[in-house]
Structure formats: C-alpha cells, structure tokens
Amino acid sequence: MSGHQCTENPPHLDPNSGSGHVEKLGNLDTYVSGSTHSKLAVLLVSHVFGYETPNLRKLADKVAEAGFYAVVPDFFHGDPYNPEDKDRPLLIWAKDHGQEKGFEDSKPIVEALKNKGITSIGAAGFCWGAKVAVELAKQKLVDATVLLHPSRVTVDDIKDVNIPIAVLGAELDQVSPPELVRQFEDILASKPEVKSFVKIFPSVKHGWTVRYNENDPSEVEAAEEAHKDMLAWLIDYVK
C-alpha cells in the first residue's frame, strides 16, 4: 500500500447503502446483490475503505442488474481504513490488513459461491483489492478478472496470469502510473493466448472508479465509462 492517492476523497461509509443486503459468506459479512438463481457471480474486492462504500455497492447493484450474483465481502472484518484515526496511518493499518491475507480470505468466498451452484466467477479488484483479484487469477480460482487502478500489482503478477484479464489505469495515477500499466500491456500482448484489455483513462487519478465526486460531471462520466468497460469484460468472459 503506498501513496496518498490511496486515501484521497474518502467516502462517507453507509452500512445501509445499496439495494442488496448483507449476509455471511465464507465466514465474512458480505454485501450481496442480484438473483440467487444466477449461475454467474462477480466478486468485487474493495479499496481500503471497505465494503460499505456507497459507490462500490452501487456498482455491485449495476453488476447484478446485468444478470450476475454480485458479492462484496468485508475483507477488513469491520475495520476499514479510517483517515480520521491519526494513530493508525495507512501503513500501520495495512499491517493488520495485508493483501496476502485478503487473498486467503477470498478462497472460502469462492468455495461458498460454488456451493451455491455458481458455475463461473469473475473478480474485480479496486486499489487494495486488485492485488487480491490478480492472485485469484494467477491461481485460476476465477474465470476472468478486472484490475481497476491497482495497488502493489507487479510485472511478475501479470506474467503469471493465464485467464482473461482487463487492466484499467489512470493517467494521473501515482500508485500504478501509466508507465507500469503499459508494461502490463506489453506483457499481455506477448501472450496472445490470454485475452486481455488495457486502457489508461485520461485526466483521472488513482481511485477514480469508486471515489469520484458525484457533483463533478466529468468525474462521474469517467467512472461510468470504466464501469461499462469492466462490465463488458465480465459479460464476455464470465459465462
């Protein structure tokens, strides 16, 4: 976890946001949205502010409207990053909430989805969550993945992905700058057997897809474009 951009424009968390509900899934409280009869699921892995982020739940509802069973687990066990807690800056908080642990916690989620009769699973990871999503992809625990403004995803991670993967980056990202995202693109281009899509969005910062200013039309437009790209990828490869 690095960079102040990971914590800019913190959301106002709302446990009652979204049209879905919270239930236990894989031993984690999880926001779920969509039909339980769907055979297709999408696991959305949050940024450091967690699963009560209204914009993230709104996106999960959008994924559900497309026919998926959308799940947003609380990987932080009720302890999302709180920028007002000056005794626990991001690097201190992250020691208690490593992305490696997030990946381990994601395995029972995947298993629980399969036990519900889900036959195909996609993952979308945002900032902190992108590292979890790429690990799921590397282990082929999901069928397709989307990384949105990733944090701590490396060139070696991308080399080890052999399922359909999309990477959505930001022109003004200081955490995963365009230069790194282009390296990802080059690696994926050298593996034509792996379906891939890489896009760098102009004039936006790290976190723009879930921490946008709802009163700024240009920010909303950029976020919604990314959401459409994410959903199109999932529709194409989670089936």
Side-chain angles (χ1 to χ4, degrees):
M1 200 59 48
S2 62
H4 69 283
Q5 284 189 329
C6 289
T7 58
E8 284 181 348
N9 192 27
H12 176 70
L13 302 184
D14 181 358
N16 298 312
S17 58
S19 60
H21 66 276
V22 174
E23 63 179 55
K24 285 286 186 183
L25 190 69
N27 297 319
L28 294 181
D29 287 337
T30 302
Y31 176 78
V32 301
S33 185
S35 172
T36 55
H37 300 296
S38 178
K39 298 297 183 183
L40 311 176
V42 173
L43 166 59
L44 295 99
V45 191
S46 76
H47 55 168
V48 298
F49 295 102
Y51 86 133
E52 293 180 354
T53 298
N55 284 345
L56 182 58
R57 290 191 175 186
K58 188 187 301 182
L59 180 54
D61 293 342
K62 194 181 297 185
V63 170
E65 288 169 7
F68 297 101
Y69 186 63
V71 300
V72 191
D74 176 17
F75 286 107
F76 307 135
H77 302 269
D79 182 37
Y81 174 68
N82 179 4
E84 296 182 2
D85 185 350
K86 303 306 180 187
D87 292 330
R88 289 179 83 205
L90 184 62
L91 292 178
I92 298 299
W93 174 89
K95 290 180 180 179
D96 295 324
H97 301 291
Q99 290 155 309
E100 297 80 5
K101 183 178 185 302
F103 170 59
E104 292 302 320
D105 284 347
S106 72
K107 293 178 184 178
I109 297 288
V110 170
E111 192 63 30
L113 289 172
K114 291 179 178 178
N115 289 339
K116 285 179 175 286
I118 298 293
T119 58
S120 186
I121 302 171
F126 306 80
C127 311
W128 182 96
K131 182 72 170 182
V132 176
V134 83
E135 290 294 334
L136 285 164
K138 287 159 61 177
Q139 299 293 329
K140 293 187 176 180
L141 296 176
V142 294
D143 298 285
T145 193
V146 183
L147 312 182
L148 303 98
H149 37 84
S151 173
R152 290 185 61 201
V153 172
T154 67
V155 165
D156 286 340
D157 286 328
I158 300 299
K159 287 179 180 177
D160 288 341
V161 173
N162 289 297
I163 64 166
I165 178 171
V167 183
L168 306 183
E171 181 185 22
L172 307 178
D173 197 325
Q174 298 169 355
V175 181
S176 289
E179 295 79 14
L180 178 60
V181 175
R182 290 192 187 99
Q183 284 184 271
F184 295 167
E185 185 174 29
D186 289 343
I187 291 164
L188 293 168
S190 72
K191 299 164 63 173
E193 72 281 5
V194 178
K195 301 296 185 183
S196 64
F197 174 73
V198 178
K199 183 173 177 178
I200 296 173
F201 285 70
S203 306
V204 293
K205 297 180 180 179
H206 181 82
W208 92 96
T209 69
V210 283
R211 286 188 278 117
Y212 54 90
N213 180 353
E214 293 183 278
N215 297 315
D216 185 325
S218 64
E219 289 195 18
V220 172
E221 182 180 1
E224 289 183 345
E225 182 180 344
H227 299 164
K228 287 179 182 177
D229 289 342
M230 181 196 86
L231 194 51
W233 190 257
L234 295 169
I235 289 170
D236 280 348
Y237 294 105
V238 181
K239 55 189 177 180

